[in-house]
């Protein structure tokens, strides 16, 4: 609580000192702090002291109490009075910033916008506050999904920072704009912007920690851009293996999230699980000290990725418990639930497929489709829903209707030939896609009677699936190897493949029984509203494993 720059009255210094003492006590004595600040008004202070005290009272009430009405009154008075005073920028713009933040918390976004716009208009001679307020208004627009307005503001900020000679701030504006462009899927605009950012970051000579923070921010966006384009192999500057423990926590968490995404898409699932388990432990520790919403967001993102890994590696019971954990996190935050409900239903749909609950899988994917407008997620959901229709065998009409709805744009090129898919996935180190392509080609060649070519596909598919590890591809490959060797008269090899198939089957069966016996299995029936908070125990699996094999 800084005092006025003019020589203050002794009574003001005394009251301000007591207020600060009570505010910083352990535990804080907020009621006494408020009383001391309110006492300032009894002396009919000059406008500068009056405005500053309103700001201090509003801030304390907003941060430390539930008296939102009184907090709003003081913050509005601070903003109104300070605008009438010249050379009073610190109080004026801090009042505008905190008042806007308060309005947003109270869901009064339309009240926050004019305050920020006015503050931005009159702060052009105060670079720090002008940039901070631009970021704040851009964030507000981004939260409302108005990414175009947010990008425009960040562009204004970048140009302002360039004129003012602050390359660090310019990089922050441009990188933030790049992040929003990635969210909008404007990939053609992202590439030149990231190229410019890379040049600025590498050429900037400043604080080493700030430079490294910018560098990681840039690399996270660049790797995300490559992942969006399916170019897993492109991993510039060793982002994944670098040590960034000295960075701000948000940068560290974003770095880990992208590492997990990269490991998943490349098919290094054990590596993805290792990074995720480590990051989730760190996040739990941080949440004991800090209740920032960004921590829960990172937690949900990591869990969503690791759940898919668990389903692939044959750990359905663990995946189901982690889906339940995501449900609990989303129940604590309406915004988090709104942003991730479609992903939740999609994950439940994938789980339902893994335990052969096809009716529930269809219901989950149908619910997810109604809750998303994201093109990539929509395509992912529709593709998996099509697989449900194929597996049920008698849904040809629904399947054809669904396929008619899939109209891939340039981001989803139609890959007509498995060999082309195999070539592309192998070139980009997409190991799981390569393994799936190999085993499917091997199956086709086996059916066509081309045993030699089938063997050339199935053997590397098994090796790659073991490396990932992918239980479903291993199960499929071992079954094919068994039949292939039997058809070729290789009795010993056929027996060995049959034993492998039996081992994989037993592992899947045990996990199947464990998952279906969990009380969380009831989540497969949830398709509307908030997820259930309580689960009834299960008597055991209601589906057989036979149809999975």
């Amino acid at each position: 609580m800084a005092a006025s720059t003019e020589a203050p009255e002794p009574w003001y210094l005394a009251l301000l000192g007591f207020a600060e003492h009570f505010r910083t006590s352990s535990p804080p004595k907020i009621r006494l702090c408020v009383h001391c600040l309110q006492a300032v008004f009894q002396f009919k202070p000059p406008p500068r002291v009056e405005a500053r005290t309103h700001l201090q009272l509003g801030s304390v009430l907003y941060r430390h109490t539930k008296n939102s009405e009184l907090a709003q009154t003081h913050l509005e008075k601070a903003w109104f009075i300070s605008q009438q005073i010249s050379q009073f920028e610190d109080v004026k713009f801090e009042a505008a910033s905190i008042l806007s933040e308060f309005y947003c918390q109270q869901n009064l976004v339309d009240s926050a916008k004019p305050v920020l716009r006015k503050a931005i208009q009159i702060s052009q001679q105060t670079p720090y506050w002008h940039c901070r307020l631009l970021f704040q208004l851009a964030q507000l627009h981004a939260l409302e999904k108005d990414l175009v307005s947010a990008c425009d503001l960040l562009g204004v900020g970048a140009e302002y920072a360039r004129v003012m000679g602050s390359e660090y701030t310019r990089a922050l504006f441009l990188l933030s704009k790049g992040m929003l462009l990635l969210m909008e899927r404007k990939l053609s605009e992202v590439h030149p912007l990231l190229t410019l950012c890379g040049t600025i970051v590498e050429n900037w000579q400043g604080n080493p920690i700030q430079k490294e923070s910018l560098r990681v921010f840039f690399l996270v966006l660049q790797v995300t851009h490559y992942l969006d384009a399916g170019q897993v192999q492109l991993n510039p500057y060793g982002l994944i293996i670098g040590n960034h423990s000295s960075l701000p926590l948000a940068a560290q968490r974003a770095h880990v999230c992208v590492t997990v995404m990269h490991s998943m898409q490349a098919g290094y699932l054990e590596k993805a699980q290792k990074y995720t388990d480590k990051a989730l432990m760190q996040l739990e520790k941080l949440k004991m000290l800090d209740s920032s919403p960004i921590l829960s967001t990172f937690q949900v993102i990591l869990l969503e990725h690791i759940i898919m890994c668990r389903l692939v590696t044959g750990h359905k019971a663990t995946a189901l418990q982690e889906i339940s954990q995501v449900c609990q996190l989303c129940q604590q935050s309406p915004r988090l639930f709104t942003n991730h409900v479609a992903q939740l239903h999609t994950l439940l749909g994938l789980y339902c497929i893994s335990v052969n609950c096809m009716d529930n899988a269809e219901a989950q994917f149908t619910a997810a489709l109604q809750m998303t407008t994201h093109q990539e997620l929509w395509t992912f959901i529709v593709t998996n829903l099509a697989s449900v229709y194929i597996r049920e065998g008698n849904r040809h009409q629904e399947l054809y209707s669904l396929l008619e709805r899939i109209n891939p744009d340039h981001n989803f090129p139609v890959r007509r030939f498995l060999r082309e898919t195999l070539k592309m996935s192998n070139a980009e180190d997409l190991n799981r896609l390569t393994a799936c392509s190999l085993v499917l080609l091997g199956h086709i060649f086996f059916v066509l009677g081309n045993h030699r070519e089938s063997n050339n596909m199935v053997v590397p598919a098994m090796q790659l699936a073991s490396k990932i590890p992918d239980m479903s591809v291993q199960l499929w490959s071992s079954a094919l190897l068994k039949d292939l060797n039997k058809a070729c008269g290789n009795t010993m090899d056929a027996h060995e493949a049959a034993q492998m198939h039996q081992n994989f089957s037993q592992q899947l069966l045990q996990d199947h029984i464990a998952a279906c016996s969990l009380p969380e299995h009831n989540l497969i029936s949830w398709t509307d509203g908030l997820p259930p908070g309580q689960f009834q125990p299960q008597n055991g699996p209601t589906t057989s494993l036979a149809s999975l094999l």
Side-chain angles (χ1 to χ4, degrees):
M1 293 183 181
S4 171
T5 55
E6 299 175 356
E9 296 286 346
W11 56 263
Y12 176 64
L13 284 178
L15 288 172
L16 196 63
F18 278 124
E20 183 68 356
H21 168 74
F22 291 132
R23 187 182 71 87
T24 58
S25 296
S26 183
K29 300 175 182 178
I30 298 302
R31 185 174 61 86
L32 294 175
C33 172
V34 169
H35 284 332
C36 291
L37 291 173
Q38 286 175 329
V40 170
F41 299 122
Q42 301 299 318
F43 292 85
K44 301 191 184 307
R48 286 177 177 269
V49 173
E50 183 184 4
R52 189 182 294 277
T53 304
H54 279 301
L55 173 59
Q56 292 166 338
L57 266 169
S59 300
V60 169
L61 291 166
Y62 167 45
R63 308 286 188 198
H64 300 283
T65 76
K66 296 181 179 180
N67 195 337
S68 57
E69 186 175 342
L70 191 57
Q72 179 176 342
T73 299
H74 284 294
L75 289 172
E76 287 175 342
K77 286 183 178 178
W79 170 233
F80 176 77
I81 297 171
S82 62
Q83 289 180 77
Q84 320 304 318
I85 305 172
S86 61
Q87 297 183 337
F88 204 41
E89 281 73 14
D90 58 340
V91 170
K92 184 185 306 180
F93 300 128
E94 186 174 355
S97 177
I98 297 176
L99 178 59
S100 300
E101 182 185 327
F102 171 84
Y103 282 146
C104 290
Q105 189 192 63
Q106 299 296 313
N107 292 320
L108 301 171
V109 176
D110 289 338
S111 298
K113 289 178 183 176
V115 173
L116 286 172
R117 291 191 186 112
K118 177 66 181 295
I120 289 169
Q121 180 184 351
I122 62 178
S123 65
Q124 294 191 34
Q125 302 306 313
T126 313
Y128 168 79
W129 278 110
H130 189 66
C131 292
R132 180 170 168 176
L133 292 164
L134 280 169
F135 270 121
Q136 193 170 347
L137 184 55
Q139 183 182 32
L140 192 156
H141 282 299
L143 290 174
E144 287 193 308
K145 309 296 185 185
D146 182 4
L147 301 185
V148 173
S149 297
C151 284
D152 288 344
L153 283 165
L154 293 171
V156 170
E159 178 60 20
Y160 176 83
R162 185 192 68 80
V163 172
M164 299 303 294
S166 176
E167 290 295 278
Y168 174 78
T169 307
R170 183 189 178 199
L172 282 178
F173 275 114
L174 290 173
L175 288 168
S176 300
K177 182 177 179 180
M179 180 172 62
L180 295 185
L181 290 172
L182 280 171
M183 292 170 63
E184 284 191 284
R185 305 289 303 153
K186 292 186 175 179
L187 302 185
S188 61
E189 296 181 38
V190 172
H191 183 72
L193 187 143
L194 288 181
T195 301
L196 173 60
C197 287
T199 303
I200 294 173
V201 171
E202 290 304 313
N203 292 337
W204 184 67
Q205 302 299 320
N207 182 290
I209 293 179
Q210 288 182 319
K211 184 180 178 73
E212 187 65 7
S213 296
L214 283 178
R215 183 173 173 273
V216 170
F217 191 179
F218 164 70
L219 291 175
V220 164
L221 293 182
Q222 191 169 51
V223 174
T224 302
H225 178 45
Y226 288 140
L227 292 177
D228 280 348
Q231 296 174 293
V232 176
Q233 210 174 38
L234 292 171
N235 178 23
Y237 307 110
L239 171 64
I240 304 305
I241 61 174
N243 179 12
H244 304 290
S245 58
S246 63
L247 296 179
L249 294 175
Q252 291 182 41
R253 299 289 80 78
H255 166 259
V256 172
C257 284
V258 174
T259 300
V260 171
M261 289 167 58
H262 179 273
S263 300
M264 268 196 62
Q265 290 201 20
Y268 302 118
L269 301 193
E270 288 185 341
K271 183 178 180 181
Q273 291 178 127
K274 172 188 169 185
Y275 274 105
T276 302
D277 290 339
K278 181 179 178 181
L280 288 172
M281 287 178 61
Q282 292 176 339
L283 285 170
E284 286 293 345
K285 292 177 182 177
L286 287 171
K287 288 178 74 174
M288 295 178 186
L289 305 173
D290 184 4
S291 59
S292 172
I294 192 67
L295 297 179
S296 294
T297 300
F298 280 131
Q299 197 172 5
V300 167
I301 292 171
L302 286 169
L303 284 169
E304 287 173 349
H305 282 82
I306 202 60
I307 287 163
M308 290 188 282
C309 287
R310 309 279 195 215
L311 292 173
V312 170
T313 57
H315 298 93
K316 294 184 282 290
T318 305
L320 182 58
Q321 291 170 325
E322 288 168 338
I323 291 173
S324 176
Q325 190 177 348
V326 175
C327 289
Q328 293 168 19
L329 286 167
C330 288
Q331 283 178 324
Q332 299 168 13
S333 168
R335 178 176 292 164
L336 202 58
F337 177 75
T338 300
N339 291 339
H340 291 269
V341 63
Q343 291 93 318
L344 256 177
H345 286 295
T346 304
L347 291 171
L348 280 169
L350 295 174
Y351 167 76
C352 290
I353 289 178
S354 74
V355 293
N356 199 40
C357 295
M358 293 302 165
D359 289 344
N360 297 99
E362 181 180 357
Q364 292 296 336
F365 289 137
T366 301
L369 285 173
Q370 296 171 351
M371 298 173 185
T372 186
T373 56
H374 192 280
Q375 180 62 46
E376 281 194 0
L377 181 58
W378 185 90
T379 304
F380 181 77
I381 296 167
V382 169
T383 305
N384 280 281
L385 183 56
S387 76
V388 170
Y389 292 151
I390 292 171
R391 293 179 69 157
E392 289 189 306
N394 58 350
R395 306 293 296 277
H396 301 299
Q397 188 57 50
E398 292 95 331
L399 176 61
Y400 295 142
S401 298
L402 193 64
L403 292 176
E404 288 177 1
R405 295 174 61 190
I406 303 176
N407 182 27
D409 58 17
H410 62 279
N411 293 317
F412 301 98
V414 178
R415 298 174 180 179
R416 298 181 179 180
F417 304 105
L418 275 173
R419 285 191 180 278
E420 183 184 348
T421 302
L422 180 59
K423 181 180 178 181
M424 293 168 65
S425 61
N426 194 46
E428 292 297 339
D429 279 347
L430 300 170
N431 290 336
R432 187 161 182 255
L433 183 57
T434 301
C436 291
S437 301
L438 283 169
V439 73
L440 182 53
L441 274 169
H443 195 125
I444 292 170
F445 284 128
F446 177 75
V447 172
L448 293 174
N450 190 339
H451 295 165
R452 180 179 178 181
E453 196 68 27
S454 177
N455 188 72
N456 290 340
M457 298 294 162
V458 177
V459 170
M462 173 63 85
Q463 294 170 343
L464 200 52
S466 302
K467 180 182 175 182
I468 292 173
D470 186 324
M471 286 295 291
S472 297
V473 175
Q474 285 178 296
L475 189 72
W476 190 0
S477 299
S478 60
L480 260 177
L481 280 173
K482 178 186 67 174
D483 295 339
L484 185 60
N485 284 301
K486 186 177 178 181
C488 294
N490 301 326
T491 307
M492 293 294 293
D493 291 339
H495 177 74
E496 183 181 344
Q499 188 60 52
M500 282 194 298
H501 186 266
Q502 178 66 18
N503 292 339
F504 293 137
S505 300
Q506 285 300 315
Q507 290 179 47
L508 281 171
L509 177 60
Q510 291 171 9
D511 186 50
H512 179 89
I513 294 171
C516 294
S517 300
L518 289 170
E520 290 87 350
H521 185 73
N522 282 310
L523 273 171
I524 68 174
S525 301
W526 164 63
T527 56
D528 189 33
L530 289 171
Q534 299 292 328
F535 306 104
Q536 296 298 320
Q538 293 286 303
N539 295 321
T542 57
T543 59
S544 69
L545 184 67
S547 56
L548 294 173
L549 305 181

